[in-house]
């Protein structure tokens, strides 16, 4: 029995080495100890896609570990407010968290690179960078400063540009635009003359409907319909230039992580990858069917004009240049990401982009 446990631990460790991040602390020795953890999240209760993805992650870990790691999941506000997830896991109030790294830019500006950079990676590319381009190592290095071990855990795929009650025909139309848009996208809108607003998802519908904001981005057709946003705005713009393939994250408290035997560590990191694949597939399927519903409504689905996208892209360049000049962590991560993107873009152009084009010849 003892020998079997030891072997099990070794093979799990090998698996962890192959496809999972290396943490600073080696896993404790395999045992039959049962761990009971809490997971706090930034998502509204039972929220489709994102909140359900976090719940699936907990369930999967429990199943894969045969109940040795049990995780109770709390929606935003149930145990701690949504935007306190990072602090709660850092100090150990909860052992695990699920959210998006760019919510923590107030802690470290460089966190934003692990969710999305405007005009940046698609979902395929961000995982390519994380797992085969050194991204995950940089991610874990940054979060070690906060007593946290992060994992990529979920992706919505490319998002939509958002819901607008004003048409956007020229760059002038961005001036004075009051829009719910977080992260770097918000900063870019501000420089284009707009007013970015940060609101949790649950407050977007009312803000749009009452006119206290002119526009709002959330995710894409599937999640946006869940909030009824198609009943609160006239125009639905694409593409989601600000979130081209955002990765979500699972946070683990560093001491809690170190207390896990190596096989449970491998289960956690592998479950995060499984949830990423599953969530991307779910969004791809459900966004497509939800879009049909929107196209059959009174909403106008419109592309941003190229002039508007060019302006936003130029401002993105300025914002990133300033960010890397003032923040060494951002400089290091952006150096890695931008070099990976330069090379990846050439491949994407002659593979994915070319195939999509060819499909419509
Ligand atoms: Ca979004």
């Amino acid at each position: 029995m003892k020998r079997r446990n030891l072997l099990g631990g070794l093979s799990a460790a090998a698996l962890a080495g192959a496809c999972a991040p290396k943490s600073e602390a080696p896993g404790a020795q395999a045992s039959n100890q049962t761990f009971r953890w809490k997971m706090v999240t930034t998502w509204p209760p039972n929220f489709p896609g994102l909140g359900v993805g976090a719940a699936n992650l907990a369930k999967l870990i429990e199943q894969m570990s045969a109940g040795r790691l049990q995780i109770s999941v709390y929606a935003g506000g149930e145990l701690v407010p949504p935007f306190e997830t990072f602090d709660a896991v850092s100090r150990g109030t909860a052992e695990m968290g699920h959210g998006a790294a760019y919510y923590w830019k107030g802690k470290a500006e460089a966190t934003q690179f692990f969710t999305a950079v405007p005009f940046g990676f698609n979902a395929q590319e961000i995982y390519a960078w994380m797992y085969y381009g050194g991204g995950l190592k940089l991610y874990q290095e940054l979060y070690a400063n906060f007593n946290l071990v992060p994992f990529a855990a979920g992706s919505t795929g490319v998002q939509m540009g958002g819901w607008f009650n004003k048409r956007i025909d020229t760059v002038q139309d961005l001036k004075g635009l009051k829009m719910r848009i977080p992260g770097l996208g918000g900063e870019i809108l501000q420089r284009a003359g707009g007013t970015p607003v940060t609101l949790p998802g649950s407050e977007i519908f009312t803000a749009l409907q009452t006119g206290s904001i002119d526009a709002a981005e959330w995710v894409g057709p599937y999640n946006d319909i869940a909030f009824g946003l198609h009943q609160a705005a006239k125009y639905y713009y694409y593409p989601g230039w600000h979130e081209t393939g955002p990765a979500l994250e699972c946070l683990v408290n560093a001491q809690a992580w170190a207390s896990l035997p190596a096989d449970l560590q491998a289960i956690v990191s592998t479950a995060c990858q499984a949830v990423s694949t599953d969530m991307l597939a779910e969004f791809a399927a459900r966004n497509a069917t939800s879009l049909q519903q929107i196209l059959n409504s009174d909403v106008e689905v419109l592309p941003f004009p190229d002039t508007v996208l060019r302006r936003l892209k130029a401002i993105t360049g300025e914002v990133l240049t300033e960010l890397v000049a003032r923040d060494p962590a951002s400089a290091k991560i952006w150096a890695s990401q931008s070099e990976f993107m330069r090379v990846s873009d050439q491949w994407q152009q002659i593979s994915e982009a070319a195939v999509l084009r060819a499909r419509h010849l």
Side-chain angles (χ1 to χ4, degrees):
M1 195 61 201
K2 198 171 176 191
R3 171 179 289 247
R4 186 181 296 167
N5 280 347
L6 184 62
L7 289 175
L10 283 175
S11 64
L15 177 64
C19 70
K22 311 226 178 0
S23 74
E24 307 260 313
Q29 202 150 18
S31 74
N32 289 324
Q33 188 185 343
T34 297
F35 295 82
R36 289 189 177 81
W37 282 12
K38 298 185 194 76
M39 182 202 284
V40 290
T41 76
T42 56
W43 317 118
N46 304 316
F47 195 69
L50 308 173
V52 171
N56 285 344
L57 176 61
K59 200 160 79 185
L60 191 57
I61 290 170
E62 190 166 330
Q63 282 173 348
M64 289 166 81
S65 69
R68 286 168 54 220
L69 178 49
Q70 299 178 12
I71 301 167
S72 307
V73 182
Y74 297 87
E78 285 181 350
L79 194 65
V80 298
F83 294 146
E84 281 178 27
T85 295
F86 185 95
D87 282 339
V89 180
S90 174
R91 66 174 178 255
T93 303
E95 292 82 1
M96 194 177 253
H98 194 268
Y102 67 178
Y103 290 146
W104 324 125
K105 70 170 182 171
K107 302 286 174 189
E109 290 190 284
T111 57
Q112 301 174 101
F113 292 98
F114 300 105
T115 307
V117 171
F119 301 93
F121 288 146
N122 62 24
Q124 194 184 74
E125 289 174 296
I126 199 164
Y127 289 134
W129 176 68
M130 287 265 189
Y131 295 118
Y132 292 93
L136 198 54
K137 186 168 168 281
L138 292 167
Y139 199 1
Q140 298 200 327
E141 196 176 283
L142 180 70
Y143 278 51
N145 300 318
F146 300 94
N147 200 41
L148 291 166
V149 182
F151 300 90
S155 173
T156 61
V158 62
Q159 300 202 353
M160 284 291 283
W163 299 90
F164 290 71
N165 275 319
K166 276 175 61 175
R167 274 187 69 105
I168 304 298
D169 294 317
T170 70
V171 290
Q172 290 304 316
D173 295 323
L174 299 173
K175 297 216 184 324
L177 186 80
K178 203 170 170 194
M179 179 172 182
R180 184 271 177 192
I181 176 169
L184 286 167
E187 193 172 338
I188 289 151
L189 176 71
Q190 187 157 32
R191 292 194 192 199
T195 306
V197 178
T198 303
L199 282 179
S202 56
E203 292 172 29
I204 297 174
F205 177 85
T206 308
L208 257 185
Q209 203 186 35
T210 58
S212 73
I213 55 175
D214 305 309
E217 76 78 48
W218 177 228
V219 181
Y222 175 45
N223 277 175
D224 293 2
I225 279 186
F227 277 156
L229 301 184
H230 56 308
Q231 287 156 353
K234 290 183 218 155
Y235 308 110
Y236 197 23
Y237 274 94
Y238 65 91
W241 57 274
H242 62 301
E243 292 185 278
T244 52
L248 302 174
E249 75 179 5
C250 172
L251 298 169
V252 183
N253 173 276
Q255 284 75 42
W257 176 254
S259 76
L260 289 183
D263 62 334
L264 290 184
Q265 289 187 341
I267 284 171
V268 169
S269 58
T270 305
C272 285
Q273 288 194 322
V275 160
S276 295
T277 308
D278 183 66
M279 198 186 289
L280 196 56
E282 185 187 10
F283 271 101
R286 299 199 198 280
N287 276 335
T289 49
S290 300
L291 176 64
Q292 294 300 309
Q293 195 180 331
I294 292 166
L295 290 170
N296 290 328
S297 74
D298 294 335
V299 170
E300 275 189 72
V301 179
L302 299 169
F304 286 119
D306 284 354
T307 49
V308 169
L309 290 174
R310 267 192 211 102
R311 177 78 188 118
L312 293 168
K313 187 161 172 271
I315 300 173
T316 299
E318 293 167 22
V319 166
L320 288 173
T321 302
E322 290 172 29
L323 175 55
V324 303
R326 70 172 176 263
D327 181 38
S330 292
K332 185 175 176 185
I333 297 161
W334 179 237
S336 164
Q337 211 172 70
S338 57
E339 175 55 20
F340 193 91
M341 202 184 306
R342 186 183 67 77
V343 175
S344 176
D345 185 64
Q346 292 180 330
W347 168 239
Q348 291 285 327
Q349 288 302 327
I350 66 161
S351 58
E352 302 296 330
V355 161
L356 287 173
R357 184 183 158 274
R359 216 188 252 181
H360 293 276
L361 287 177

